Amino acid sequence: MAPDVKKKEENGGIAFQDREIMHSGNGNGHVKSDEEDEEEEEEEDDEEPKLKYASLTKSQAPVYRNGDATSAFLVAGDKMIIGTHNGNIHVLSLPSFQSLRVYHAHSASISAISISPFPPPLPTAKPDTISRITLEKPDSPGRPGFAAGRSAHSMKSPKQIPIPAIPSNSIHIATSSIDGNVCVSSLADTRDVMLRNFARPVQAVALSPNYKNDRTYLSGGLAGNLVMTVGGRAGTSSTSNTTGGAVATASGWLGTIGLGSSNGIDTVLHSGEGSISTIKWSLTGKFVVWVNEQGIKIMRSNLYLQSGEIDMSWKRISHIDRPHHPGWDDMAGVWKARAEWINENGLESEEGEPPLTDGTSAKDAETRPNLADAEVQDPAQRQNSTEKLVIGWGGTIWIVQVHSGSSNAGREASEQKAGRAVVVSILRTDCIISGISLYTPNLLLVLAYISPENNGRHSPSIETTPKRGLRRQNAVQPEMRIIDLTTKEEICIADVLDVSRFETLSAADYHLGVLPVIRAPSKVFSQRGALEAIGGTIWDASLYSTKAIGTGLWDATMYPTRLFSSAASIHSNSSISERQSSRAASGIIPDGNLTAVKSGQIPHPGLLTRGIKIFIQSPYDCVLATRPTISDHLTWLESHEKYQESWTLLDAHPEAITGLSERTPSSTPGTPTRSNFNSRETQTSLVDFFADDSSQTTASATRNFNSQVEKEKRILGDKWIRQLVKQENWGRAGEVCGQVLETSTSWDYWFWAFAEAGKYAEITPYVPVTQLHPPLPSLVYEDILGYYISRDRPKLKELLQRWPSELFDASTVISHIQARLKVGDIRESSTEEGEVGRDWRILIDSLAILYLADGRSREALRCYIKVQDADAAMNLISEFHLIDALSDNIPGLILLRVSKEQQASASLSELESLTTEPIRLLVDEAHQGIVRPKTVVSQLKDRPEMLPYLFFYLRALWNGDTTDAAATTSDEDGPTSTAHLAASEGKSLVSDFADLAVSLFAKYDRSLFFNFLKTSQSYTLSTASSTCEKRQYIPELVYLLSKEGRTKKALFIIIENLQDVSQAIAFAKEQDDPDLWNDLLDYSMNKPSFIRGLLEEVGTAIDPVTLVRRIPEGLEVEGLRSALSRMIREFELQDSIGEGVARVLRGEVATGMGRLRGGQKRGVRFDVVAHGHAQQIENKGKTKQPEKDKEFRKNRPPKVRLGHCWGCGEAFVQDEKQAILAFPCTHVFHLSCFILYDADDGEGDVSDLPSPPSYDGPGYIDRGIGAKVEHAKALRGRVGGGCPLAIHKEAD
């Protein structure tokens, strides 16, 4: 690229930047050396194409009939319109290229084509009539069309097949020709056609966006006039009133006053600045741009004017001068200007986003508006929008933004009310521009024509457009360039287009047309039946819907293989073994019928994408350029051996596989290459096209699709690994193996490839540790372990800890380790990297792991004991209950966590914490009877260094310190701790070693020793006493002497050795022996301190008078007064407390007796019945029979009134003969009712009670006392429980 050249110009009040873009390549520019050519070729090969190309020439075969060639071209919506040098107009339907209409309108070359509305409406509705694809040849007799030699003035044509009048077909087509005529025809209505003669070659025509209503179009040509034509009568041929003839002038004047034939009115809007080459109406319809020899003009049209803006109609708002560079004066009228109004909603997304398989990006589908909505929006609703215009003329490019008129007040605002144009950028190139458009908002598409005379940065030389017939023979191939508008540089090497007979063509012979991006959301098909798929949508009803072919839709029944295909081909190449991809398609149509269908009638796959579509039209060829899809990107990456990027792309976007097809060397297309474009590219057959995976909707097709993705990933992964191995990048190759290899076969192959090269370290971290199906041979893992047994023991340990034991044969690896240990160079004392015994410990530890994997837990435990791996050993013992395996090595078990250094220097508390777990384990086993205490004691007592651990063991036994000590159980008597039970059992176990426990406890834990002396009865008193005397444990010795009955000696030891009067007094109180008190008093009488202590602390243990009297007279006792005072106060306090307690007790007794007497004296009130008592007495006087007892208890009254029995519910009478029982709670019963109230069956008989006192009537009182006493005594036994009502029991 040449250095930037920035230039400021003032042209018509418009500021812009001028930037020259020099293209160096394809033989143009300075002469390059062979080395530079080779470097450029390598650069081209390494750079991915920005566009992919396909030839559509065969699809346009009817256009080139009779040697005709194209001269004008337009593509919009779902239509392609082509004008030829013979004056024919071909209207083709996209994407099928089905000919909709062919007519002959001119006698010479067609120079321009315009349609209205632009862009046309999208095909959104399904026609009522579905026309099937015919298998006829394009030139069959049934094909409608005009004869090539028909007169231009004869508008009569053969009978046309009616075209449905749907919105997408309701368009008007205008064509201009160098024969001086402009023809405007309706596509749907063949009668709506007008031909107008302007008497001079017309080079440009532009229909009004609202032509259907206003019948207005603009035209211009070599006459230099910009003519606006309004009106005209359909089906007529007329002459423009601008030709200057008398007939035309009269016709126009009469028409204006209503007397003419209404053939239309022509108005010259501008003239006098040379021939006009281009006229384009803006997308909103508010502006018109045209180009003449003096420059570029932009004017406000008469459409969508607000009230008060009528004077702005057809007012020019901008003029851009043509460049004043050498050659422009001669070529300004020759070079055809290319102008495009840009719909920014229809552009591709910026580079860097992965395109989908349909040609669009995820960002396009989500963030940008629907193109269909944007295109059909009423321009009147976009009054304040800004439109972008791109113009290419000669070798110069202008980027212009056109703003709608301002609504502000003021003079400047009034000048800008019609609108304003701003040139945002100007670029200069080294080519002649044959077509221009935007690819993305920041990338410019340029169809470049390279002049043979052009050399480097010099401007193009003068040339003329060759006439038909004799043509130049030195033209070069056209190029497609992409320019970054930000950097003003080409982003890639230009693509050279190899078109037919390019040597004879000029810049004006090429045309560029663009179909914008479709942003309608893609439909996601679920599993559907074939009939539903046929009746429903095969492709989305969008701008390029494959439904629209001819006058109707594709009939899905014509191609059943598309719907019922069960499999599809995949892209595959050779890898480890030979692989072949097959295509299986089943359908209704026989193969013979399929091959009979013309491939030219099948839509090109590039036309079915949603991305932007770029058409390059030359007189003899049509080329389609599209953005490469993700599938194309994948293909390019693989073809350039970028296997890492290929695999990563396919892993992230599995849908990329859908765009790949089976390729063979003979069918590989020549495009899209940088240096060559094969216009004779082989068309895809109908079977291949409809076997594409993208249309499969069945579940089986989905599963097949997934398997294809995985297979393709395996292929790419294999190539990626081979590439890295070839580069000797073994580390990265091993990493990739772990990423891409998924089968045991591939792993087995690549592992041995690494093993043969000795690259174990590179492949080992990535070998799969989960079982594959089928599994990877165990020999692979055993070989890796064998390698690290010999060379890297730490890595061996890591692998054994990480790998499941199912991957390899443990016994085989055990044999390798044992053989390595037998060599003798790896010992417990050997040093590796400054660490003593490192490798030996690793190998022993590895043996333990392998023994466990082989089911030999006892051997594994011995290995853990050897290396003192306490955690592993204890876990193993707990899991497999292997304590009996260590019964002959108790010291080794206890010292698992204690190193030799710790044994020599650690404190007792440290040793205790280190041995807690094994000691507790041994205690558990002692209680369970597996490892008896005798076994432990026998292995530890004769080793002085093990005595502390023996002490720990015996202490734990004595305290019941087991692993389950925290658990508790409960029974009926209350909670009982298992620790207590364990301690009780442990004490009995320690009793067998009581004398040993005495010596150890006395040595290591004096408090425990004293507790043991008080609790145990199994030790020898003499041994314990000698131990205490030896260690001067006086309290313990005193206890032992008192236990032997030698209390006097014990007392004298306390007095003589301890000089502790308090302890002596406590000892005397404990023994409660009067003789011992006398001994204490006798010993203390000559010791004032003892006398004072006795006075202060003896309390009531002895008579204080006796103590005072025994104090010798004249003995001076310090603190005697205070001691006596304290003793007296204590006695007074004791006496006062006694008196107080007595008073309280007497008060409580008196209160209770008063309550008792009051209750006994209180009467119970109840009413009696005065009348009818004789019958009551008779009934009540009878004792209830036992057979009535159940009924009596069953019929108890629920609630009884006052004066009634609570048993039977009957009222009491005055002369009751039966005894009545009344309780303080006011409940009253007959005696018989009370007896029966709570009695069980068979009880409650009152016959055994003594007879009550007789009662002979009112006023009679029996004075006898004996019967009353006997009767009351008998009742007490029955009534001892009180009132039997349930309410009292509930209250209790």
Side-chain angles (χ1 to χ4, degrees):
M1 297 297 176
D4 299 346
V5 179
K6 296 183 178 180
K7 181 179 179 182
K8 287 284 186 177
E9 296 185 11
E10 289 295 331
N11 190 359
I14 301 174
F16 57 87
Q17 289 184 349
D18 189 0
R19 180 77 174 260
E20 182 175 3
I21 299 178
M22 299 299 295
H23 176 69
S24 57
N26 305 303
N28 299 319
H30 69 280
V31 179
K32 302 177 182 178
S33 63
D34 294 340
E35 294 180 357
E36 290 177 333
D37 290 339
E38 292 177 359
E39 291 178 358
E40 182 173 312
E41 290 178 0
E42 293 178 358
E43 182 179 357
E44 292 180 8
D45 292 339
D46 292 338
E47 187 174 3
E48 184 176 3
K50 301 299 180 182
L51 297 172
K52 66 173 182 178
Y53 300 88
S55 175
L56 302 178
T57 304
K58 290 185 178 181
S59 301
Q60 298 179 352
V63 176
Y64 307 111
R65 188 184 303 118
N66 299 325
D68 204 354
T70 61
S71 60
F73 171 81
L74 183 143
V75 61
D78 61 340
K79 306 292 188 297
M80 178 183 286
I81 305 170
I82 301 174
T84 69
H85 284 289
N86 288 340
N88 297 322
I89 295 95
H90 298 260
V91 182
L92 308 178
S93 173
L94 295 179
S96 64
F97 285 94
Q98 186 82 2
S99 179
L100 297 179
R101 188 177 175 195
V102 180
Y103 59 96
H104 184 80
H106 302 278
S107 60
S109 299
I110 295 175
S111 58
I113 301 174
S114 176
I115 67 172
S116 177
F118 182 87
L122 303 179
T124 56
K126 181 177 179 180
D128 296 333
T129 303
I130 299 178
S131 61
R132 299 175 178 271
I133 297 178
T134 62
L135 303 182
E136 303 173 6
K137 295 183 180 180
D139 55 351
S140 62
R143 172 77 61 185
F146 287 94
R150 185 171 296 274
S151 171
H153 299 283
S154 177
M155 300 306 299
K156 185 178 180 181
S157 62
K159 183 178 181 181
Q160 301 278 333
I161 295 178
I163 297 177
I166 59 177
S168 60
N169 292 333
S170 298
I171 62 174
H172 287 81
I173 304 171
T175 55
S176 62
S177 173
I178 61 176
D179 63 1
N181 292 322
V182 172
C183 177
V184 181
S185 174
S186 171
L187 176 62
D189 186 3
T190 57
R191 296 169 300 178
D192 185 3
V193 58
M194 291 186 296
L195 187 70
R196 198 167 189 84
N197 183 15
F198 289 87
R200 293 287 301 277
V202 181
Q203 294 182 321
V205 64
L207 287 178
S208 166
N210 196 24
Y211 178 81
K212 182 178 180 181
N213 299 320
D214 61 17
R215 296 286 172 166
T216 300
Y217 64 87
L218 303 176
S219 61
L222 296 183
N225 297 329
L226 178 64
V227 180
M228 178 182 68
T229 302
V230 180
R233 189 170 58 187
T236 62
S237 176
S238 59
T239 302
S240 171
N241 54 19
T242 62
T243 59
V247 175
T249 302
S251 174
W253 177 76
L254 291 174
T256 58
I257 62 175
L259 300 178
S261 57
S262 298
N263 288 329
I265 301 173
D266 299 309
T267 304
V268 177
L269 300 179
H270 184 271
S271 63
E273 292 186 355
S275 63
I276 297 175
S277 61
T278 300
I279 305 173
K280 282 292 181 71
W281 221 294
S282 72
L283 298 179
T284 62
K286 295 192 294 183
F287 303 102
V288 175
V289 61
W290 80 94
V291 182
N292 56 28
E293 295 182 17
Q294 299 302 316
I296 304 167
K297 314 292 191 301
I298 302 175
M299 68 166 53
R300 180 66 170 89
S301 72
N302 63 341
L303 298 180
Y304 313 115
L305 292 171
Q306 300 289 337
S307 59
E309 296 180 352
I310 302 301
D311 56 337
M312 301 298 174
S313 176
W314 304 116
K315 180 178 180 180
R316 192 173 71 181
I317 64 172
S318 176
H319 166 74
I320 305 172
D321 277 344
R322 62 174 174 80
H324 298 284
H325 300 302
W328 270 92
D329 293 336
D330 299 324
M331 300 302 296
V334 177
W335 289 330
K336 181 178 179 64
R338 315 290 177 145
E340 289 290 333
W341 294 92
I342 303 300
N343 182 358
E344 296 186 87
N345 291 326
L347 301 179
E348 286 281 4
S349 61
E350 294 294 345
E351 294 293 326
E353 299 178 11
L356 303 178
T357 53
D358 62 354
T360 60
S361 67
K363 181 178 180 182
D364 290 335
E366 295 177 1
T367 62
R368 307 193 75 172
N370 191 335
L371 178 61
D373 297 339
E375 288 180 345
V376 300
Q377 182 180 2
D378 187 354
Q381 301 176 4
R382 300 181 290 180
Q383 293 295 328
N384 297 323
S385 62
T386 299
E387 299 193 69
K388 181 174 287 188
L389 174 64
V390 180
I391 306 168
W393 189 15
T396 306
I397 299 171
W398 291 267
I399 310 295
V400 183
Q401 284 189 345
V402 183
H403 302 270
S404 298
S406 173
S407 59
N408 298 330
R411 180 177 179 182
E412 294 182 0
S414 63
E415 293 177 355
Q416 298 180 359
K417 196 171 184 180
R420 59 190 179 89
V422 178
V423 179
V424 296
S425 182
I426 295 181
L427 297 85
R428 294 178 55 204
T429 66
D430 60 346
C431 63
I432 300 174
I433 298 170
S434 294
I436 192 168
S437 184
L438 280 183
Y439 181 53
T440 72
N442 201 44
L443 295 181
L444 187 68
L445 283 173
V446 176
L447 178 59
Y449 176 83
I450 309 300
S451 175
E453 297 83 3
N454 186 25
N455 184 14
R457 295 169 57 101
H458 298 289
S459 59
S461 59
I462 300 173
E463 67 174 46
T464 58
T465 302
K467 306 295 182 181
R468 300 198 65 199
L470 180 63
R471 287 185 173 267
R472 66 191 313 164
Q473 298 293 328
N474 60 348
V476 298
Q477 297 161 295
E479 297 177 354
M480 179 61 72
R481 301 180 182 180
I482 302 178
I483 301 172
D484 191 329
L485 294 178
T486 302
T487 62
K488 307 299 189 296
E489 296 178 353
E490 295 184 33
I491 64 171
C492 59
I493 303 300
D495 296 330
V496 179
L497 307 179
D498 186 9
V499 296
S500 301
R501 291 175 267 184
F502 63 88
E503 301 88 350
T504 64
L505 303 180
S506 66
D509 292 324
Y510 296 100
H511 306 275
L512 179 70
V514 176
L515 286 181
V517 175
I518 300 176
R519 306 195 189 281
S522 300
K523 294 182 181 178
V524 180
F525 296 106
S526 58
Q527 183 176 356
R528 308 194 309 178
L531 295 177
E532 182 182 356
I534 295 173
T537 304
I538 301 177
W539 283 282
D540 295 341
S542 57
L543 185 60
Y544 313 114
S545 173
T546 55
K547 292 178 179 181
I549 295 181
T551 60
L553 302 179
W554 283 31
D555 190 348
T557 57
M558 292 292 293
Y559 307 105
T561 57
R562 181 65 172 176
L563 299 175
F564 301 101
S565 175
S566 59
S569 65
I570 65 169
H571 171 61
S572 60
N573 291 322
S574 61
S575 61
I576 300 174
S577 60
E578 287 294 331
R579 289 171 299 205
Q580 295 180 351
S581 60
S582 61
R583 184 183 306 275
S586 61
I588 303 175
I589 299 178
D591 292 342
N593 292 340
L594 290 175
T595 55
V597 180
K598 284 292 183 179
S599 61
Q601 294 175 334
I602 303 305
H604 191 279
L607 295 172
L608 305 180
T609 65
R610 294 181 176 274
I612 195 170
K613 300 163 192 66
I614 305 163
F615 296 86
I616 301 100
Q617 185 76 36
S618 74
Y620 312 105
D621 287 288
C622 182
V623 178
L624 172 66
T626 57
R627 182 178 184 178
T629 64
I630 196 170
S631 299
D632 300 316
H633 182 50
L634 179 63
T635 303
W636 184 87
L637 290 174
E638 185 178 358
S639 64
H640 287 73
E641 298 183 355
K642 298 180 181 294
Y643 301 120
Q644 175 180 357
E645 294 86 343
S646 300
W647 192 93
T648 304
L649 178 66
L650 189 57
D651 184 61
H653 299 279
E655 67 274 10
I657 196 68
T658 60
L660 299 178
S661 60
E662 186 178 21
R663 295 193 297 260
T664 59
S666 61
S667 63
T668 302
T671 57
T673 60
R674 293 281 181 192
S675 57
N676 184 29
F677 180 85
N678 184 7
S679 60
R680 305 298 192 268
E681 180 182 355
T682 304
Q683 287 286 342
T684 305
S685 68
L686 181 64
V687 176
D688 292 341
F689 177 68
F690 278 102
D692 183 16
D693 286 333
S694 60
S695 67
Q696 298 290 346
T697 60
T698 63
S700 60
T702 302
R703 290 193 295 269
N704 188 35
F705 167 81
N706 292 333
S707 65
Q708 294 171 15
V709 173
E710 296 304 320
K711 182 176 180 180
E712 189 66 25
K713 285 172 64 178
R714 289 194 293 270
I715 296 172
L716 293 174
D718 181 73
K719 293 180 178 180
W720 186 6
I721 299 171
R722 290 180 182 276
Q723 184 183 60
L724 294 171
V725 169
K726 185 177 180 181
Q727 297 170 357
E728 297 293 328
N729 190 354
W730 292 96
R732 178 58 178 156
E735 182 180 349
V736 173
C737 286
Q739 185 178 358
V740 305
L741 298 183
E742 296 179 351
T743 63
S744 56
T745 303
S746 58
W747 265 113
D748 185 62
Y749 173 84
W750 281 112
F751 168 75
W752 292 114
F754 276 75
E756 290 175 3
K759 304 297 180 181
Y760 285 88
E762 287 77 5
I763 192 63
T764 298
Y766 309 104
V767 173
V769 295
T770 57
Q771 283 286 7
L772 303 176
H773 300 284
L776 190 61
S778 62
L779 183 60
V780 170
Y781 301 96
E782 294 162 9
D783 186 70
I784 295 175
L785 294 175
Y787 173 83
Y788 287 110
I789 288 171
S790 302
R791 293 173 174 81
D792 191 348
R793 265 70 66 177
K795 184 66 175 179
L796 168 68
K797 182 179 180 180
E798 176 191 342
L799 294 177
L800 288 177
Q801 292 175 343
R802 185 166 60 92
W803 284 359
S805 58
E806 297 81 6
L807 298 177
F808 51 85
D809 182 11
S811 59
T812 302
V813 185
I814 290 173
S815 301
H816 287 323
I817 295 178
Q818 290 174 342
R820 190 70 183 86
L821 288 172
K822 289 179 180 179
V823 175
D825 58 335
I826 300 177
R827 300 182 301 275
E828 188 175 1
S829 59
S830 59
T831 303
E832 293 83 19
E833 297 182 2
E835 185 178 351
V836 178
R838 186 198 67 179
D839 286 356
W840 177 84
R841 286 195 302 273
I842 290 176
L843 290 180
I844 299 299
D845 191 64
S846 301
L847 277 176
I849 297 174
L850 293 168
Y851 280 136
L852 283 177
D854 202 28
R856 298 152 67 179
S857 56
R858 291 178 178 270
E859 288 84 347
L861 180 59
R862 294 191 181 97
C863 292
Y864 286 134
I865 296 296
K866 278 185 181 181
V867 297
Q868 289 188 305
D869 190 345
D871 293 333
M874 299 307 297
N875 291 336
L876 196 62
I877 291 171
S878 300
E879 183 178 358
F880 295 98
H881 206 66
L882 298 176
I883 188 64
D884 60 322
L886 298 175
S887 59
D888 57 346
N889 188 17
I890 299 300
L893 173 63
I894 294 176
L895 297 176
L896 273 174
R897 299 185 188 276
V898 185
S899 64
K900 294 181 179 180
E901 294 78 9
Q902 290 173 326
Q903 293 181 45
S905 61
S907 63
L908 189 66
S909 60
E910 292 176 344
L911 294 177
E912 179 183 0
S913 63
L914 292 172
T915 58
T916 298
E917 190 175 3
I919 292 297
R920 188 172 293 172
L921 179 62
L922 289 173
V923 171
D924 288 340
E925 301 303 326
H927 286 285
Q928 297 173 8
I930 297 177
V931 180
R932 302 299 300 174
K934 182 179 179 180
T935 303
V936 178
V937 172
S938 63
Q939 295 185 37
L940 299 180
K941 68 178 181 178
D942 297 330
R943 299 176 60 178
E945 72 278 4
M946 298 302 297
L947 290 181
Y949 312 107
L950 181 57
F951 158 70
F952 298 148
Y953 175 68
L954 293 177
R955 182 183 63 178
L957 273 178
W958 179 261
N959 294 330
D961 188 9
T962 63
T963 55
D964 298 329
T968 59
T969 59
S970 62
D971 54 23
E972 296 179 357
D973 298 332
T976 302
S977 173
T978 56
H980 295 164
L981 297 176
S984 299
E985 185 179 355
K987 288 178 173 59
S988 65
L989 293 174
V990 175
S991 63
D992 297 336
F993 314 97
D995 292 340
L996 178 60
V998 165
S999 62
L1000 292 176
F1001 290 170
K1003 180 179 181 180
Y1004 296 108
D1005 192 341
R1006 184 174 177 178
S1007 62
L1008 178 62
F1009 171 62
F1010 199 4
N1011 178 267
F1012 180 75
L1013 294 178
K1014 292 179 180 180
T1015 307
S1016 177
Q1017 303 295 330
S1018 302
Y1019 58 88
T1020 304
L1021 291 175
S1022 59
T1023 303
S1025 298
S1026 62
T1027 301
C1028 293
E1029 290 175 355
K1030 180 180 179 181
R1031 296 186 176 277
Q1032 292 297 309
Y1033 289 169
I1034 302 303
E1036 292 82 355
L1037 182 58
V1038 170
Y1039 171 77
L1040 290 174
L1041 290 176
S1042 64
K1043 191 174 183 179
E1044 292 176 359
R1046 297 186 290 174
T1047 57
K1048 187 174 182 179
K1049 182 179 180 181
L1051 180 61
F1052 278 97
I1053 289 177
I1054 294 174
I1055 296 173
E1056 293 293 340
N1057 294 349
L1058 299 181
Q1059 297 291 318
D1060 189 349
V1061 64
S1062 299
Q1063 186 173 351
I1065 294 171
F1067 181 73
K1069 287 181 179 181
E1070 181 181 356
Q1071 299 300 321
D1072 195 18
D1073 185 359
D1075 294 335
L1076 195 62
W1077 278 109
N1078 290 332
D1079 292 338
L1080 178 58
L1081 292 176
D1082 291 342
Y1083 179 82
S1084 303
M1085 288 303 103
N1086 60 352
K1087 295 180 177 59
S1089 60
F1090 271 70
I1091 294 173
R1092 180 183 176 183
L1094 286 170
L1095 292 173
E1096 291 178 347
E1097 299 185 18
V1098 70
T1100 59
I1102 60 175
D1103 187 1
V1105 177
T1106 303
L1107 176 59
V1108 172
R1109 287 177 178 177
R1110 294 190 65 171
I1111 298 175
E1113 293 182 4
L1115 180 65
E1116 184 178 352
V1117 178
E1118 184 180 356
L1120 178 61
R1121 181 185 297 274
S1122 61
L1124 289 173
S1125 300
R1126 180 176 178 181
M1127 183 181 64
I1128 293 171
R1129 285 195 304 272
E1130 185 174 349
F1131 269 91
E1132 289 177 351
L1133 178 62
Q1134 291 292 334
D1135 183 64
S1136 176
I1137 292 174
E1139 290 181 359
V1141 171
R1143 285 194 300 271
V1144 171
L1145 180 59
R1146 287 195 297 269
E1148 291 292 332
V1149 170
T1151 302
M1153 291 302 294
R1155 186 182 301 112
L1156 176 60
R1157 286 192 296 270
Q1160 291 174 343
K1161 293 178 180 180
R1162 188 178 65 177
V1164 178
R1165 178 183 177 275
F1166 56 89
D1167 297 328
V1168 296
V1169 179
H1171 302 286
H1173 62 278
Q1175 184 65 31
Q1176 291 291 339
I1177 293 172
E1178 182 181 356
N1179 292 337
K1180 297 301 179 181
K1182 297 180 180 179
T1183 303
K1184 296 184 180 295
Q1185 299 298 323
E1187 61 270 11
K1188 300 296 183 179
D1189 293 347
K1190 292 184 179 179
E1191 183 178 355
F1192 169 78
R1193 285 190 290 270
K1194 181 178 180 182
N1195 298 325
R1196 291 172 184 172
K1199 188 174 182 181
V1200 179
R1201 294 176 296 169
L1202 190 64
H1204 292 69
C1205 176
W1206 280 83
C1208 63
E1210 299 293 338
F1212 298 111
V1213 297
Q1214 292 180 354
D1215 49 355
E1216 287 279 1
K1217 282 190 174 184
Q1218 189 175 188
I1220 297 175
L1221 296 178
F1223 294 94
C1225 58
T1226 71
H1227 299 144
V1228 185
F1229 295 86
H1230 292 107
L1231 176 60
S1232 59
C1233 294
F1234 173 79
I1235 296 301
L1236 295 173
Y1237 192 85
D1238 263 347
D1240 296 331
D1241 294 345
E1243 299 181 0
D1245 190 3
V1246 298
S1247 60
D1248 56 343
L1249 292 175
S1251 299
S1254 61
Y1255 178 72
D1256 294 332
Y1260 175 80
I1261 300 176
D1262 188 359
R1263 301 289 183 178
I1265 194 67
K1268 293 181 180 180
V1269 172
E1270 291 297 330
H1271 191 264
K1273 182 179 179 181
L1275 284 179
R1276 181 180 294 277
R1278 296 292 184 94
V1279 191
C1283 181
L1285 291 183
I1287 186 173
H1288 301 297
K1289 297 180 181 178
E1290 293 174 0
D1292 293 339

